[in-house]
Amino acid sequence: MRGSGEIRDRSPDGLRFGLLGTVCLFDPVTGEPCPVGGTMVRTLLAALLREPGRVVTVEALQDALWDSPPPSARASLQNFAARLRRVLDDPGRLRGLRTGYRLVVQDGELDVRVFRHGVVAARAAAAAGRWSEVSERTRAALALWRGAPLTGVRTEFVDLAYADRLQEERLELLEWRVEARLALRDDPAELVPELTGLAAQHPLREAFHRQLMLALHRSDRQAEALEVHRVLRRTLAERLGTEPGPAVQAAHQEVLAVPAAPRGRGRGAARLAPATTPPPPRCFTGREAERAALRSALGGTADGGPRVAVVSGMPGVGKSALAAQAAYDLRSVFPGGQLYVSLHGAAADGSRRTPQQAIAVLLRDLGVAPQDVPGDEEAAAALLRTVLACERMLLVLDDAACAAQVRPLLPSGVGCGVLITSRSGLTALDRVRHVALRPMTARESAALLRTASGRDDGIGAGHQLVALAGGLPLALRVMAARLAARSTLTADRLALLLDGDGLLEGLEYDDLSVRRLLTGAVRALRESERGVDRDAALVLDCVGSVPLPDYGEPLLARLAGLSAGRTAAALERLTQAALLEEPVPERYTAHDLVREAAAGCPASAGRLSTALRWYAEGTGRLLCALVPPGSERRDRLYVPEGGGEGAFPDGIVGWADAELPNIAVLAERVAEGADVRAADRAALAGVVRQLFPFLQRYGRMNELEELARHALSAACAVGDAHAISIALSDLAGSHFLAGRLNQALEFTGRALRMQRAAGDRVGIRRSLSHQGLLLDRLGRDAEAQDALHEALRVAQGLADTVAQSHVLSHLGNLADHRGDPTGAVAYHERSLALGERNGDAVVRHTAYCNIGYALLRSDEPEQALLRFQRGLAVLRDFPDWHSETQTRLGLVRGLRAMGDARRALDEATRLAELASKRHDRHAEGLARYERGHVLAVMGRAQQAREQWGAALGALSGTDSTEVPELRELLGLLPEDGGSALGL
């Protein structure tokens, strides 16, 4: 957006703030809305955005947040402001002044401003009759609308008059957009579903009724157009005592003046052109790409045979509806008519049509008498091809089971087209255009729900109903039918009913039933005579019993108790039936509603235990691959080394990366579930402690703390002191990596007390080593030295040279921080010697890195740089994210000390990017801190300030020593318009 008001497509550096829907921030990279947590924080943001760029007084903000501000209102307001500042792209945007707060909002960053610029521009273009410009401007402005304005804030804060004005402006844009499409001669049939919903939602708004009349009339649906006029006239007379205005009357005259075009072949024709295809759904929305693909496939030039397209997808995804709409789109391409037959391919009750039966239906609709249809399938198929040979017709073959069912129905003439729907892709058919139909997007789902129900109710892409439907059009139609049937039933209330009473049971209304469709598909597999179908049902049962983001073949084989070959065949059958998807090779996913339907089958109560055992075996092998032999490996192993029967790939790290989302889901279920067995909780704690070195080394920051917390919860529920102490140590490690040193120290102390009480020497050594490291970082040198020397004595008593190498490394760092770089290097060289003897790459790298820092403090940057580079060379084969972070930071500081600002800037930028990809805010903050210093040296003060501001935002809440320095740096540099630190 630009200051001139010119409307352009939104770009990543455009919108930042949103009031048109749920109050939100927009991601500066993707442009997608990001939630702002908490009603009070959203209300504060909304109050500031109502006065963008201006100071909003403390009193005004308190009135927005509370009906009667409590005594602690000012302190609470400061807390809410701090929480808001943390989620802003630049904490300096929110500035605290003595009298209030000011949120800096640039031109084009607030959706309401951009929306209103669009309204003004569209109004001017419409008045001048510039309909192409109207179409573009209304499209851009309406794209900003995400739902009812100011959603998600305190109800008492919402200014109804303000929200109503915005709603009225949106309706005006909708009117102008439709008017433009009518004026530009777009396909009027495409306007009918939207206008039907708008007219029903706004029964007294004449413009929508007039436009619906014209769209219907220009789509050869005059009778429906006249019915719209009749209903409008009656409504106006009953409610307002008036007649329709001049514009509606003129549209009425247009409908009356031009009769519908005749559809038959004339008096002399042998028969009327058949038109047995079901009418397109009145509420059809979305699927633009798929409709275009079908128009291209079936509307183009034939190449030696009929044009054939197959629409495939899971049950309920809208294949038949798309086929009906596509047939309507193609009616001018096939003037000879359209034939339809349902093949009942998915029927489980024996009602599936044979090719002979389907041919008989098609020939009957073509005017062939039943007695003239041969009883032999091959002869009947030949007759069908003969009748269609010179025709230009479209055949719609709905719900095909397999290629063998449709192959005899295919015409041979080049003038015909065939549109097939099937759960399978029917890839055995030759020269076919395949259109795979996936669940609808959230935006498309919300549009369908609003249109089909005739309701708005604030139904946007983020509404709970949209999430529950999972993009399945059939589920959305059931929801819409329930809303339409009860005017008092709100969308929010329906979402509560469905979420609380059993989703599948609630997705039934009249003849629409998601439950019947999906459970029927599962039952058909279970009751099949084919062994592969029964295996498929068993595998699907496992999917329903153990809900995970995705599944690999080995896990499903273990859960189902099947061989690898039978499991692979079952998975192929399930993907063919569209009950599972394979989005990436050998990883399978299930739609939530399919999973719920499968969960209704008899399930083994032990499948959760089986899954946990399998993951315990896998993470045990992972631990052995990452941690060298010694007391640490033995202490962490839950499954004995070499134990278990699971088959795992040689690339065990890749296995862990693929399975980590599943482990996270299982951990939450086990740790927080009320009916989980003690053995399963113990297994979870074992899985996480074996997994922790992987999480730490590969920088999986998102999962690190969450899994450690779940492991601690599970271990405490079981009462396993050893598991609790390890979980406490791991949780301390997650806080350390996030820069929260005092919290890490607290958890380490708790672990150490338990280990001393139990006489756990391995645990004592681990906790003392961690404690010494943390005390050193916190500047408590004497305590750190005591802890580390005791840790070294324990490690020597255990004859554990791996543990000794780690403690020596910490002692070296302590010496360095106390101003003894020579002593530090000596410790690090001892650690390096042990690491080389043990073949421990991480210790070797750490020694190189730490020696580099000691050399930096000795003012030997060239030598330090060589050590950092040697450390990075080790990490190429043995990655360790924390070690890499420290080494790259040292590299930046060494380059700075050598005066090589350009390379230092490149290295700091690379580290910031790597940290951002790993969601490591602490490391990213340190990288931006260094980047700011380099930019300052280069004379780029404003960019340096931006980097320091971002660093402060990332490091706030940590114990990093850089935080006070950053506050001082930002306070010393000049800033236009106020303090960056706020209140």
Side-chain angles (χ1 to χ4, degrees):
M1 307 299 173
R2 299 190 177 181
S4 63
E6 181 180 0
I7 294 181
R8 300 180 183 273
D9 288 340
R10 189 177 70 198
S11 62
D13 58 349
L15 290 177
R16 291 293 184 268
F17 305 99
L19 294 177
L20 297 176
T22 301
V23 175
C24 72
L25 302 172
F26 290 97
D27 188 286
V29 177
T30 66
E32 291 298 313
C34 301
V36 177
T39 300
M40 300 298 273
V41 178
R42 285 194 296 270
T43 303
L44 173 60
L45 176 59
L48 293 166
L49 290 175
R50 287 293 308 275
E51 299 288 338
R54 300 175 183 171
V55 177
V56 185
T57 66
V58 170
E59 291 75 15
L61 292 173
Q62 289 178 353
D63 288 341
L65 292 169
W66 296 279
D67 293 335
S68 299
S72 61
R74 180 174 288 271
S76 297
L77 174 58
Q78 292 175 355
N79 179 48
F80 295 143
R83 288 166 60 187
L84 176 58
R85 194 176 282 116
R86 282 198 294 271
V87 299
L88 293 172
D89 57 351
D90 177 4
R93 279 185 178 273
L94 181 56
R95 298 172 181 176
L97 305 172
R98 285 180 300 173
T99 57
Y101 288 79
R102 179 165 74 92
L103 183 62
V104 177
V105 181
Q106 304 295 336
D107 190 28
E109 290 188 334
L110 177 57
D111 61 358
V112 169
R113 282 180 168 177
V114 178
F115 177 82
R116 284 191 153 157
H117 288 164
V119 172
V120 171
R123 183 181 291 119
R130 301 192 301 271
W131 295 113
S132 294
E133 183 182 348
V134 171
S135 178
E136 174 61 19
R137 291 191 178 278
T138 55
R139 180 199 62 78
L142 288 169
L144 301 170
W145 194 274
R146 295 172 291 108
L150 299 174
T151 300
V153 303
R154 292 183 67 246
T155 306
E156 297 80 0
F157 170 73
V158 178
D159 182 344
L160 295 179
Y162 175 76
D164 287 344
R165 285 195 302 274
L166 290 172
Q167 290 279 13
E168 178 60 30
E169 288 169 347
R170 171 176 172 266
L171 293 176
E172 289 177 352
L173 287 172
L174 289 170
E175 289 179 16
W176 297 332
R177 185 185 68 181
V178 173
E179 204 64 42
R181 293 189 66 182
L182 289 171
L184 294 170
R185 299 295 179 183
D186 287 356
D187 185 358
E190 295 183 353
L191 300 172
V192 170
E194 180 184 15
L195 285 170
T196 300
L198 290 170
Q201 193 175 344
H202 305 281
L204 299 179
R205 201 172 187 97
E206 293 188 31
F208 291 143
H209 291 79
R210 168 186 163 276
Q211 292 169 339
L212 178 57
M213 290 167 58
L214 293 176
L216 288 167
H217 169 59
R218 294 173 188 178
S219 303
D220 294 337
R221 295 160 71 173
Q222 276 75 8
E224 294 172 79
L226 292 172
E227 176 64 14
V228 171
H229 179 265
R230 186 188 67 78
V231 171
L232 172 64
R233 187 179 182 193
R234 185 185 65 195
T235 302
L236 292 175
E238 290 176 353
R239 297 195 188 183
L240 304 178
T242 62
E243 286 288 323
V248 174
Q249 293 178 17
H252 186 225
Q253 290 302 314
E254 180 180 331
V255 174
L256 293 173
V258 184
R263 290 194 173 275
R265 292 191 175 190
R267 279 178 82 111
R271 56 176 172 80
L272 293 174
T276 61
T277 303
R282 289 283 296 271
C283 59
F284 192 89
T285 57
R287 306 300 198 193
E288 299 300 332
E290 291 83 359
R291 289 171 67 183
L294 292 175
R295 286 194 296 268
S296 172
L298 298 172
T301 303
D303 181 19
R307 291 154 284 181
V308 183
V310 175
V311 177
S312 59
M314 66 174 291
V317 80
K319 302 181 292 293
S320 298
L322 175 62
Q325 183 63 51
Y328 183 79
D329 294 341
L330 293 163
R331 61 195 185 282
S332 62
V333 177
F334 299 102
Q338 298 182 347
L339 293 168
Y340 171 88
V341 61
S342 176
L343 300 175
H344 302 300
D349 56 1
S351 60
R352 178 184 298 178
R353 276 199 167 110
T354 65
Q356 173 72 22
Q357 292 169 331
I359 291 170
V361 172
L362 293 171
L363 288 172
R364 178 201 66 197
D365 293 340
L366 286 165
V368 177
Q371 60 270 23
D372 295 334
V373 177
D376 176 69
E377 179 183 307
E378 186 174 345
L383 176 59
L384 177 63
R385 291 194 293 271
T386 300
V387 173
L388 295 173
C390 298
E391 297 287 352
R392 293 182 60 192
M393 287 188 180
L394 176 67
L395 278 67
V396 178
L397 309 179
D398 196 16
D399 191 17
C402 57
Q405 190 183 23
V406 300
R407 192 174 278 112
L409 313 182
L410 300 180
S412 56
V414 297
C416 288
V418 183
L419 176 52
I420 307 168
T421 72
S422 175
R423 294 179 186 177
S424 166
L426 304 186
T427 53
L429 294 176
D430 297 329
R431 298 199 304 182
V432 169
R433 175 70 178 270
H434 296 277
V435 177
L437 201 57
R438 297 184 55 77
M440 302 177 83
T441 66
R443 190 181 296 273
E444 290 173 334
S445 298
L448 175 57
L449 197 50
R450 290 193 299 268
T451 302
S453 66
R455 303 262 291 275
D456 192 330
D457 283 7
I459 302 173
H463 197 278
Q464 181 67 4
L465 283 181
V466 173
L468 290 172
L472 213 58
L474 179 58
L476 293 163
R477 288 181 59 203
V478 174
M479 293 173 179
R482 292 186 62 175
L483 288 173
R486 290 176 58 193
S487 60
T488 57
L489 179 62
T490 66
D492 291 343
R493 176 61 180 162
L494 178 57
L496 287 174
L497 292 173
L498 291 174
D499 207 14
D501 296 342
L503 184 55
L504 275 183
E505 287 71 16
L507 290 179
E508 287 190 288
Y509 190 84
D510 203 343
D511 62 339
L512 302 174
S513 175
V514 177
R515 184 192 62 79
R516 185 168 60 247
L517 184 69
L518 294 180
T519 56
V522 176
R523 186 174 62 254
L525 291 174
R526 293 181 63 81
E527 298 174 355
S528 171
E529 296 180 356
R530 301 174 63 211
V532 67
D533 285 355
R534 294 194 298 275
D535 284 349
L538 179 58
V539 169
L540 197 60
D541 181 11
C542 297
V543 169
S545 302
V546 186
L548 296 174
D550 68 359
Y551 303 83
E553 180 187 306
L555 172 61
L556 290 172
R558 172 72 76 87
L559 291 174
L562 298 174
S563 67
R566 288 176 63 183
T567 304
L571 287 168
E572 185 175 359
R573 179 70 183 93
L574 288 169
T575 55
Q576 182 186 30
L579 293 171
L580 290 183
E581 286 192 354
E582 189 180 10
V584 296
E586 299 181 359
R587 303 297 300 183
Y588 299 88
T589 61
H591 192 282
D592 287 344
L593 292 173
V594 171
R595 195 196 314 275
E596 187 157 338
C601 302
S604 167
R607 285 199 179 122
L608 176 62
S609 303
T610 302
L612 286 166
R613 179 68 184 180
W614 186 76
Y615 280 115
E617 293 171 13
T619 54
R621 298 191 187 187
L622 175 69
L623 178 71
C624 293
L626 296 179
V627 177
S631 60
E632 180 68 16
R633 180 200 280 189
R634 291 192 299 273
D635 200 43
R636 284 190 174 274
L637 270 175
Y638 175 73
V639 174
E641 191 166 347
E645 59 190 72
F648 298 94
D650 293 334
I652 193 68
V653 170
W655 170 87
D657 201 52
E659 296 294 344
L660 185 55
N662 290 343
I663 294 174
V665 168
L666 277 179
E668 182 176 5
R669 176 179 174 184
V670 172
E672 300 181 2
D675 56 347
V676 178
R677 298 188 303 184
D680 292 340
R681 296 189 194 276
L684 170 64
V687 167
V688 175
R689 78 175 185 236
Q690 294 181 148
L691 184 67
F692 192 82
F694 163 79
L695 300 173
Q696 192 173 34
R697 283 185 54 177
Y698 285 83
R700 301 306 296 260
M701 306 304 294
N702 273 358
E703 297 88 352
L704 197 66
E705 182 177 350
E706 179 185 2
L707 284 173
R709 282 192 293 101
H710 288 322
L712 179 58
S713 173
C716 289
V718 176
D720 183 337
H722 180 248
I724 293 172
S725 68
I726 293 183
L728 285 168
S729 294
D730 289 346
L731 192 54
S734 72
H735 283 295
F736 166 72
L737 291 174
R740 298 187 292 271
L741 305 182
N742 281 299
Q743 289 170 274
L745 187 62
E746 177 191 347
F747 283 110
T748 300
R750 288 172 58 186
L752 180 57
R753 287 190 293 274
M754 293 188 69
Q755 290 152 353
R756 288 193 189 279
D760 178 2
R761 298 175 68 203
V762 174
I764 291 169
R765 192 279 313 158
R766 182 193 308 115
S767 293
L768 284 169
S769 181
H770 292 172
Q771 191 178 62
L773 169 65
L774 293 165
L775 290 166
D776 175 23
R777 293 290 182 93
L778 290 167
R780 295 160 62 177
D781 296 356
E783 297 171 85
Q785 182 166 330
D786 290 344
L788 290 174
H789 280 296
E790 184 181 354
L792 184 59
R793 288 194 298 272
V794 176
Q796 289 168 340
L798 292 168
D800 189 339
T801 56
V802 173
Q804 291 174 44
S805 66
H806 289 291
V807 179
L808 288 168
S809 177
H810 296 334
L811 283 167
N813 289 336
L814 177 61
D816 192 17
H817 297 157
R818 300 179 78 173
D820 181 14
T822 302
V825 171
Y827 275 121
H828 292 316
E829 287 179 343
R830 288 173 62 190
S831 175
L832 176 59
L834 288 175
E836 289 176 340
R837 184 192 311 168
N838 295 327
D840 191 330
V842 174
V843 169
R844 288 167 48 218
H845 159 266
T846 303
Y848 289 135
C849 175
N850 290 334
I851 292 171
Y853 275 103
L855 290 169
L856 268 184
R857 290 186 177 86
S858 299
D859 199 21
E860 300 180 60
E862 294 86 356
Q863 291 299 316
L865 210 62
L866 291 175
R867 300 311 194 281
F868 292 134
Q869 290 167 341
R870 290 182 70 179
L872 287 176
V874 173
L875 289 177
R876 292 193 192 102
D877 297 322
F878 302 93
D880 183 282
W881 169 239
H882 178 65
S883 298
E884 182 178 353
T885 299
Q886 297 306 306
T887 306
R888 290 191 180 280
L889 285 170
L891 196 62
V892 174
R893 292 169 186 171
L895 290 167
R896 277 176 53 201
M898 292 171 59
D900 193 342
R902 172 54 57 189
R903 284 181 62 198
L905 183 63
D906 290 344
E907 290 294 339
T909 301
R910 174 168 172 73
L911 176 56
E913 291 171 350
L914 290 171
S916 178
K917 288 178 182 177
R918 287 171 169 79
H919 308 285
D920 188 342
R921 285 181 56 77
H922 183 243
E924 184 179 359
L926 294 175
R928 292 191 181 279
Y929 163 83
E930 294 292 343
R931 197 166 188 269
H933 277 296
V934 178
L935 289 166
V937 169
M938 298 172 74
R940 293 154 64 176
Q942 182 55 39
Q943 290 174 283
R945 181 178 184 79
E946 291 171 359
Q947 289 299 308
W948 286 332
L952 182 58
L955 296 176
S956 293
T958 73
D959 299 304
S960 296
T961 57
E962 289 79 5
V963 171
E965 181 188 348
L966 285 167
R967 294 188 184 280
E968 184 177 353
L969 286 167
L970 291 169
L972 286 172
L973 287 178
E975 176 189 341
D976 296 332
S979 167
L981 299 181
L983 294 180

